[in-house]
Amino acid sequence: MKHSMAHTARASVKTKALVTGGLVAITIAGVGGAAFAAFSATTTASQSIGSGTMAFVDIAANGAGQRLSVGASEIAPGDTIERAVTLTNTGTVAMVGATLTTTATTSSDLDADTVNGLQMIIEKCSTPWTESAVPPYTYSCGGTPTTVLASTPVIGANQALAGLDVGASATNNLRVTLTLPSSAGNTFQNLDSVIQYTFSGQQRAGTDQ
């Protein structure tokens, strides 16, 4: 009999606890669901943002001031190959500098031999170069010539071009000269190379706009 009463008491306590817990839960839900009115105000603004462009003129076209794609053949030790190329920033964003990477899509000792193979120098004229009337092309500068890349083997990566005008719409009149050194021996006969020139510009640093 005592055991039964104790069990009933415990059951009653447990039931009461459950009911109380249920009531608390309901009360919290009721408070959380309350709504309050308040004043509010908003405003909006629209801003148009446009990015600029960086681009070099296409140098594939063949014409006065654009001869870099014109090949040369039957060269011998001591020969030079002169080609004009006009490099223009046709974009709207100024650059801080430009580099040249040259690769050989067809390779031989003409480009692979860094001592006896082709050597390159690039110069800039303050005015367009004056081209000879007929090939082989030679050029003279009627303004002030400066060197933008000192003599170096024809193949190189990310070579800095000094003194270029790289502002928006700026134009640079360049002459690329390749020379086969007199030291090139008989092993240089009947060879072929194709040199690809890639000019790259670096964007100026960010500024307040």
Side-chain angles (χ1 to χ4, degrees), residues 5-38:
M5 289 177 64
H7 177 75
T8 302
R10 285 197 299 270
S12 177
V13 170
K14 184 177 182 181
T15 301
K16 190 177 296 183
L18 289 173
V19 171
T20 303
L23 289 173
V24 170
I26 292 171
T27 302
I28 293 173
V31 172
F36 299 93

Side-chain angles (χ1 to χ4, degrees), residues 57-136:
V57 68
D58 183 4
I59 62 174
N62 179 18
Q66 297 286 11
R67 301 292 189 188
L68 198 54
S69 57
V70 178
S73 60
E74 306 299 331
I75 66 170
D79 284 354
T80 59
I81 305 163
E82 296 183 12
R83 297 292 185 264
V85 56
T86 305
L87 196 62
T88 302
N89 177 4
T90 59
T92 60
V93 175
M95 305 177 191
V96 294
T99 60
L100 171 64
T101 293
T102 47
T103 55
T105 55
T106 298
S107 185
S108 70
D109 277 346
L110 288 172
D111 63 84
D113 189 325
T114 59
V115 175
N116 302 305
L118 292 166
Q119 304 296 305
M120 175 174 61
I121 184 171
I122 301 179
E123 299 159 287
K124 172 186 172 181
C125 184
S126 58
T127 60
W129 293 89
T130 301
E131 185 178 83
S132 57
V134 294

Side-chain angles (χ1 to χ4, degrees), residues 130-196:
T130 301
E131 185 178 83
S132 57
V134 294
Y137 299 114
T138 58
Y139 299 88
S140 59
C141 177
T144 303
T146 56
T147 299
V148 299
L149 182 64
S151 183
T152 185
V154 69
I155 300 302
N158 298 317
Q159 300 180 95
L161 302 178
L164 291 189
D165 187 353
V166 287
S169 302
T171 294
N172 298 273
N173 306 298
L174 305 181
R175 177 178 68 179
V176 178
T177 301
L178 302 184
T179 301
L180 184 62
S182 298
S183 58
N186 285 333
T187 57
F188 282 81
Q189 295 185 63
N190 200 33
L191 300 181
D192 291 292
S193 289
V194 177
I195 309 301
Q196 178 173 284

